Amino acid sequence: MSAESEASARLAVEKNGRDAGGVRAVTRSTRIITALAEHPYPLGIVELATFVQLSPASVHRILSTLVSVGWVEQNSRTAKYRLGMRAIGVGSVGLVTNPVLHDGRMYLARLAEWSGHDAVLSTLIGVKTVQLTRVAGPHTEMIEFEAGHPQPAHAMADGKLLLAYLPETEARYFYEVAGMRQYTPNTITDPARMEQELARIREQGYAVDNSERFDHGRGLAVPVLDVDGRPIAAMLSLGRIDPSQDSDIVQQMFTLAREMSERLSASGDLPPAAAGDGVSLPGAISTSGERSV
């Protein structure tokens, strides 16, 4: 190999190394931002290091950068960290301009009118489900809606649905690190039972919350899928739902979710599911209208 070829090869190796390091830094930064988003209280470096499974030194170094650009803020008295104003501003703009939410409200309105119950679009942030937009049903008994309020994923239909798509390593983190707090007598807190529940969701393609978060409310959730059959969001029906209505409501939700995906795809606005969101559910309905097998 000539000296020129050797130099070119060495530069290529160095560039690939820098690129890999840059991707790793971005990935770690998003893990930290996600951890801050899923917890309602500020976190210290040691707490964050446990949640994101990085060394405290690495977390401190990344936090310093995030603070400098306004994505994270530090309390001057407690030295703990929370999301910064720039992150909040970016998220707020997305709630107004994102086509998934903009178009989704039309389908939520149809679901709310048809079922009589609240209709919600939500996403998974860490191990919390975050409701992004809601249309109140005629029979709503819910408190005033506030976008961005996190709920425990293991106790909500939309959260369990999205958890069912997680890779095994992320599911293990959910059991071992985040824990499963009990909210009602029906809340699933045993990892073995939760694994059975997630397996059932993967088989049937939808999730049910039998008063697991709130004593007097139930939830049904189906996925809104990308072109590869992975979820970009969960569609949730929430309220005092009579179990005898579950089958009819779920079928209506499958239809609306499919129509929503098709509309977004036709306009070029259907995003791919985020990396690491797992695989297609065997029972889920694809954007073509067929159940995946």
Side-chain angles (χ1 to χ4, degrees):
M1 180 181 293
S2 66
E4 182 178 350
S5 297
E6 290 180 357
S8 297
R10 186 168 57 254
L11 288 173
V13 170
E14 291 176 354
K15 181 180 183 299
N16 289 338
R18 288 195 300 271
D19 290 346
V23 171
R24 183 167 58 248
V26 171
T27 301
R28 290 179 172 183
S29 296
T30 58
R31 286 163 61 185
I32 289 174
I33 291 172
T34 298
L36 292 172
E38 66 180 296
H39 291 89
Y41 50 85
L43 297 173
I45 289 177
V46 174
E47 289 176 293
L48 268 172
T50 299
F51 286 128
V52 301
Q53 298 180 312
L54 294 172
S55 70
S58 294
V59 170
H60 181 265
R61 183 170 59 253
I62 295 170
L63 281 171
S64 296
T65 300
L66 292 174
V67 168
S68 70
V69 297
W71 282 80
V72 172
E73 296 170 352
Q74 184 180 27
N75 186 289
S76 60
R77 294 178 63 87
T78 66
K80 293 188 175 184
Y81 296 86
R82 61 177 179 266
L83 289 180
M85 293 303 295
R86 180 164 292 180
I88 294 170
V90 169
S92 298
V93 171
L95 288 174
V96 177
T97 62
N98 187 280
V100 174
L101 303 185
H102 183 271
D103 290 1
R105 292 185 186 99
M106 174 174 62
Y107 296 96
L108 295 183
R110 288 170 57 185
L111 175 60
E113 180 180 4
W114 185 88
S115 69
H117 303 292
D118 290 5
V120 180
L121 275 182
S122 57
T123 189
L124 195 66
I125 302 295
V127 294
K128 296 293 178 70
T129 180
V130 176
Q131 297 181 358
L132 303 174
T133 187
R134 185 190 78 174
V135 174
H139 307 313
T140 184
E141 297 180 4
M142 304 302 292
I143 60 175
E144 183 178 352
F145 175 72
E146 184 176 356
H149 185 71
Q151 293 286 351
H154 71 286
M156 301 284 291
D158 51 347
K160 291 191 296 181
L161 176 84
L162 296 173
L163 287 174
Y165 284 84
L166 289 181
E168 183 180 348
T169 53
E170 293 188 39
R172 188 179 305 116
Y173 166 88
F174 172 67
Y175 300 136
E176 296 177 356
V177 179
M180 293 182 287
R181 173 184 166 187
Q182 184 164 6
Y183 294 91
T184 74
N186 292 340
T187 307
I188 299 174
T189 59
D190 176 65
R193 279 194 60 203
M194 181 57 70
E195 289 179 0
Q196 294 173 356
E197 176 77 356
L198 298 183
R200 180 163 48 250
I201 292 169
R202 285 190 288 268
E203 180 179 356
Q204 65 191 16
Y206 67 91
V208 180
D209 151 28
N210 284 305
S211 303
E212 296 162 38
R213 176 64 177 94
F214 304 104
D215 286 312
H216 304 295
R218 298 179 69 247
L220 302 168
V222 305
V224 180
L225 302 173
D226 69 6
V227 294
D228 295 319
R230 299 183 303 167
I232 62 170
M235 180 180 289
L236 172 70
S237 181
L238 186 66
R240 293 180 182 267
I241 302 173
D242 187 332
S244 66
Q245 297 179 312
D246 284 4
S247 179
D248 290 341
I249 294 176
V250 166
Q251 290 306 312
Q252 180 73 1
M253 293 173 71
F254 272 135
T255 298
L256 292 172
R258 183 180 64 248
E259 290 179 6
M260 179 178 164
S261 291
E262 291 172 347
R263 176 184 173 91
L264 290 167
S265 180
S267 64
D269 287 323
L270 182 65
D277 278 358
V279 297
S280 303
L281 295 189
I285 292 182
S286 69
T287 55
S288 66
E290 299 179 350
R291 285 187 178 274
S292 56
V293 294

